[in-house]
Amino acid sequence: MRLEVRVELKPGVLDAEGESVEKSLGLLGIRGVRRVATAHVYDLEFVDVTPAEAHRRAEAAVDRLLANPVIHRVTIRPPPD
Amino acid sequence: MRLEVRVELKPGVLDAEGESVEKSLGLLGIRGVRRVATAHVYDLEFVDVTPAEAHRRAEAAVDRLLANPVIHRVTIRPPPD
C-alpha cells in the first residue's frame, strides 16, 4: 500500500521558495496570483504491512527523518491518484 | 480560488532524494518501505479570476517556470484540504 506524507511550512514560517515563485510569476506577466505556498511530498510504498502498521511507520519516518516539528506541518494520507 | 500544482519526476528518471530517504529509513530501522518517490507541490492562490482562467494561468506557470517537460510529470488540481 502507498501513503503520501505531505510536509508543509507552518503558518508564520517564511516560505522563501513560495515568495520567490510568486515574484517570478509577476515578472513573467502571469498575474492574479496572490500567494504561493510550497510543500514537499514523500510517496511511501509499503510491502507486507497492514494499513494501520504502515501508518505507524509513516509517522515514525516523519518524526525521525522527514519533518521538523518546529517549522513543519505534516499530513499523512493515501495518495490522490 | 486555489490550485495545487504537483511536480513529480517521470517514471525512469532517477529520484535521488527518494532513494536517499528509502536508504535512510532502512538505516533507522523503519522497515517495509519498498519505494519512496518525492514530489514538489506549489499551492497557488488566485484572486479575481474565473476557475477556467486560473487553470490556464497555472498551466502557463508550469510551462514557463515550475517544471521541465523533459523530466517532470505535472498535475494541476484543487488542493485536498
Side-chain angles (χ1 to χ4, degrees), chain B residues 1-49:
Chain B
M1 75 166 298
R2 282 166 59 213
L3 284 176
E4 173 182 301
V5 175
R6 186 184 169 116
V7 180
E8 295 166 289
L9 290 165
K10 285 184 176 174
V13 178
L14 174 68
D15 187 340
E17 187 186 6
E19 292 201 1
S20 169
V21 168
E22 186 184 328
K23 193 171 178 180
S24 299
L25 292 178
L27 293 172
L28 288 169
I30 298 171
R31 311 280 176 203
V33 180
R34 177 163 65 186
R35 202 182 59 90
V36 179
T38 62
H40 213 81
V41 169
Y42 301 90
D43 186 322
L44 308 179
E45 185 177 340
F46 291 92
V47 283
D48 301 330
V49 293

Side-chain angles (χ1 to χ4, degrees), chain A residues 2 4 6 8 17 21 24-25 28 30-47 49 57 60-61 64-66 77 80-81, chain B residues 2 4 6 8 17 21 24-25 28 30-47 49 57 60-61 64-66 77 80-81:
Chain A
R2 284 165 58 213
E4 173 181 303
R6 187 183 169 116
E8 297 167 289
E17 187 187 6
V21 167
S24 299
L25 292 177
L28 289 168
I30 299 170
R31 310 282 176 202
V33 180
R34 178 164 63 185
R35 200 182 59 92
V36 179
T38 63
H40 212 81
V41 169
Y42 301 90
D43 187 321
L44 308 180
E45 185 178 340
F46 291 91
V47 283
V49 293
R57 293 188 192 184
R64 300 196 55 195
L65 183 69
L66 300 177
R77 60 159 73 87
D81 42 2
Chain B
R2 282 166 59 213
E4 173 182 301
R6 186 184 169 116
E8 295 166 289
E17 187 186 6
V21 168
S24 299
L25 292 178
L28 288 169
I30 298 171
R31 311 280 176 203
V33 180
R34 177 163 65 186
R35 202 182 59 90
V36 179
T38 62
H40 213 81
V41 169
Y42 301 90
D43 186 322
L44 308 179
E45 185 177 340
F46 291 92
V47 283
V49 293
R57 294 188 193 184
R64 301 195 58 195
L65 184 68
L66 301 178
R77 60 161 71 90
D81 43 1

Side-chain angles (χ1 to χ4, degrees), chain A residues 51-81:
Chain A
E53 180 59 27
H55 209 278
R56 270 193 297 275
R57 293 188 192 184
E59 284 179 346
V62 167
D63 291 344
R64 300 196 55 195
L65 183 69
L66 300 177
N68 173 352
V70 176
I71 60 168
H72 291 137
R73 178 172 60 182
V74 176
T75 321
I76 300 173
R77 60 159 73 87
D81 42 2

